[in-house]
Amino acid sequence: MMEVYPMESVYNLLACEEERHFKPFRYVSTFKESVKYESKKNKTAHKTMGPAKLDVPSPKEYLLKHSKEPKLPERKSTEKEDNLEKSIEKEDNRPKKPFVPKRTDQPIMGVLTKKNFIRSNAAEAIMEVAKKPQLIFVDSKRGDKHPLESSGLVPKYINKKDYGENPKYLTRKKEEAKRAQEEYDAYVKERLREGAMKQLSEEERESVLLGLKKNWDEVHHEYQGLSVVIDTLPKKMHKERLETEMKQLERDIQLIERHKIIYIANK
């Protein structure tokens, strides 16, 4: 690389003054001297062994373990704990069992009894009721046994006193339905007597039913004749109208077929 030197000039031979940079003045507190004086004044008393005119601690007042830990307030007992303490006190007042004899205690000697334990045991065994064997069932070729009572194979419910009887709520519902039917029949008789409505005869009912079915066949035949592609608004509205008419006719047919007796109100 080539070294580049500055251009030669007469002015470069003149002595240049050095530029001096001065730091800005530092802030000095007005209380500096008083603080120094106070710190020196307090240090002079501690130049020897400890602060001057200080009472020596007593050797009995030494620092104890856990003495500087915060102490919690005294805990108040709750009602439940009070009841528990009372129950424990009652149990303490009960007669206690005799203490375990000591190693140095001597047993009572020379006590005899005239009871014949062999005869008494034999009599108790003879008079005792024999235990019934537990009913079990085996459900595998290995002989796995299971209790029969909790298996569901024992007929328990048919042996109950109220087995086969209708529950009370069913009897109550039947009575309420019977009462409502009687009130409705009385209302219908009263309206028929007044001439406010009339009963539809069987011939009229059959004719109305046949007419509804005929109308449904006609609407259904017209519905089957619709075009496959419904691409215009009039076609869509016509299809929806036919579907609504068929649904309404189906509801009317089901209503008449379900009810054998039909009443018509007189205007």
Side-chain angles (χ1 to χ4, degrees), residues 34-250:
S34 61
V35 170
K36 283 183 178 181
Y37 174 75
E38 292 291 337
S39 61
K40 289 181 179 180
K41 181 180 178 182
N42 295 332
K43 284 182 179 179
T44 53
H46 299 271
K47 285 183 178 180
T48 58
M49 300 296 291
K53 297 181 181 180
L54 185 65
D55 296 335
V56 180
S58 175
K60 296 181 179 180
E61 297 178 357
Y62 55 87
L63 185 63
L64 299 176
K65 188 177 181 181
H66 304 296
S67 60
K68 291 191 176 182
E69 292 182 359
K71 294 183 180 180
L72 297 176
E74 295 183 0
R75 184 173 175 273
K76 296 181 180 179
S77 60
T78 59
E79 184 178 357
K80 186 176 181 181
E81 293 177 351
D82 295 339
N83 296 334
L84 182 61
E85 290 179 358
K86 290 180 181 178
S87 62
I88 293 171
E89 290 177 359
K90 290 181 180 178
E91 291 180 356
D92 294 340
N93 295 330
R94 294 178 183 176
K96 296 182 180 181
K97 295 181 179 180
F99 294 100
V100 178
K102 297 180 181 180
R103 184 171 57 85
T104 57
D105 293 346
Q106 297 294 332
I108 301 173
M109 306 296 290
V111 179
L112 301 177
T113 179
K114 296 181 180 180
K115 182 178 179 181
N116 193 341
F117 291 96
I118 296 175
R119 290 184 179 180
S120 61
N121 292 340
E124 289 177 2
I126 293 169
M127 300 298 295
E128 189 178 6
V129 180
K131 294 182 179 179
K132 294 182 179 180
Q134 185 181 7
L135 300 177
I136 59 174
F137 73 97
V138 181
D139 60 350
S140 67
K141 63 181 181 180
R142 297 181 180 179
D144 296 333
K145 299 178 182 180
H146 303 282
L148 184 63
E149 186 176 358
S150 60
S151 63
L153 302 174
V154 181
K156 291 183 178 181
Y157 296 100
I158 61 176
N159 297 328
K160 287 188 174 182
K161 296 180 179 180
D162 57 348
Y163 177 76
E165 297 181 1
N166 292 330
K168 294 182 179 179
Y169 74 94
L170 287 180
T171 307
R172 185 172 62 255
K173 282 189 175 181
K174 286 182 179 179
E175 292 176 356
E176 292 176 357
K178 184 178 179 181
R179 193 182 307 109
Q181 185 66 31
E182 290 176 355
E183 292 177 357
Y184 176 73
D185 294 341
Y187 170 76
V188 170
K189 288 180 181 179
E190 183 67 22
R191 300 294 290 176
L192 289 173
R193 188 178 61 80
E194 294 176 356
M197 60 182 181
K198 65 177 182 178
Q199 182 178 351
L200 198 66
S201 62
E202 186 65 25
E203 293 80 7
E204 293 175 347
R205 177 177 170 276
E206 290 294 334
S207 63
V208 171
L209 189 59
L210 291 174
L212 290 173
K213 290 182 179 180
K214 184 178 179 181
N215 293 339
W216 187 87
D217 291 337
E218 292 177 357
V219 176
H220 184 260
H221 180 71
E222 186 178 356
Y223 183 79
Q224 292 293 331
L226 293 174
S227 60
V228 179
V229 180
I230 308 298
D231 54 353
T232 59
L233 184 60
K235 289 182 179 181
K236 184 177 180 181
M237 294 177 65
H238 183 53
K239 180 184 177 182
E240 292 177 355
R241 182 178 61 81
L242 294 176
E243 290 176 350
T244 305
E245 290 181 4
M246 283 193 296
K247 288 180 181 178
Q248 183 62 38
L249 290 171
E250 288 173 359

